Every structure is written in structure tokens, then in C-alpha cells.
Amino acid sequence: MNVYGIGFGINGLLYITGETSGAGAFGVSHWTGSAWVQDGNATAGQVLRAIAFGPNGLIYTGGQNTTMGGVAAIGIAKYNGVSWQAMPTLAYSGGSVEVDAIKVLSDGTVLAGGIFDTLNGITSARLPTREP
């Protein structure tokens, strides 16, 4: 697994994201102190480049994903500890969507940066995604 994103969740655990190609490679995993444990079922072949944590405990990931755990999630998704959920729809007229940076504000607002030019069908400057 190639690791691209790393951070501490509000539960104090260390999380990583990366490329999910090959056996035993997981899109999002956390360290227990003795082993890496997969969080959710990332789809094989996805490249997750960013991870962020909401004040409510949600985990947000971004990358070149099209699905997460069987849920259509283009570029960005959130994980509630049980299942993956889609975020607002991103699109890029030049090809594939890629989310490279995510920041969650204290009020739960999610900002995402990367390669996309529309958000829910509205032209975007490749920055804001809002998920209160």
C-alpha cells in the first residue's frame, strides 16, 4: 500500500489512506498499537489521497475514487464507522475527478480541493464542498 494521507481521529487513533491495489491493502486503516485494521470496505484499485475528521467523528476521504464500500462516491466520501456515504457530486469536464485536500471546520463544514470544476452541477473554482 502506498500511503498518501495520515491523521489522528477524534478518538485518538492514527489513520492512513492510500492506494488499494493488491491483497491486504486497504483504502482507510487505523493503527491499534499492534496492527493495521481496515475501516469500511474500500473498493480495490481506488487511490485515496486525503483524510480529514469531523467534530462529529465522521471520517472524510478524498482521491480518485468512484465508489466506496459499494456506494457511488466520486472523489470524496464520508464514513460513519459503519458505512460509507456519498458527498455532493463533483465532476471535471477534463476527465477524472481527484480530491487531494480536505479540511473540516469546527462547525462541520467540509472544504475540498483538487481537480474538479462542478459541484452538484454548479461551476466551482475547484475548492468548496459544503457538508454541514
Side-chain angles (χ1 to χ4, degrees):
M1 176 178 194
N2 295 321
V3 174
Y4 297 117
I6 188 167
F8 287 94
I10 64 169
N11 56 9
L13 296 175
L14 176 65
Y15 288 84
I16 59 171
T17 61
E19 191 169 355
T20 60
S21 59
F26 308 120
V28 179
S29 298
H30 71 270
W31 181 248
T32 66
S34 60
W36 290 103
V37 176
Q38 180 184 16
D39 291 284
N41 296 316
T43 304
Q46 305 290 341
V47 179
L48 301 180
R49 298 199 175 276
I51 189 166
F53 307 91
N56 52 8
L58 292 174
I59 300 171
Y60 296 86
T61 61
Q64 297 169 321
N65 50 289
T66 56
T67 63
M68 289 297 290
V71 175
I74 298 175
I76 190 167
K78 61 184 174 182
Y79 183 68
N80 63 14
V82 177
S83 61
W84 287 99
Q85 301 168 351
M87 296 279 293
T89 302
L90 300 174
Y92 179 50
S93 58
S96 299
V97 168
E98 181 176 316
V99 173
D100 297 313
I102 302 173
K103 173 70 177 170
V104 182
L105 305 179
S106 60
D107 68 356
T109 298
V110 178
L111 303 175
I115 302 170
F116 55 91
D117 55 14
T118 60
L119 169 65
N120 287 336
I122 299 170
T123 300
S124 166
R126 297 187 184 180
L127 173 64
T129 295
R130 179 162 173 79
E131 178 75 13

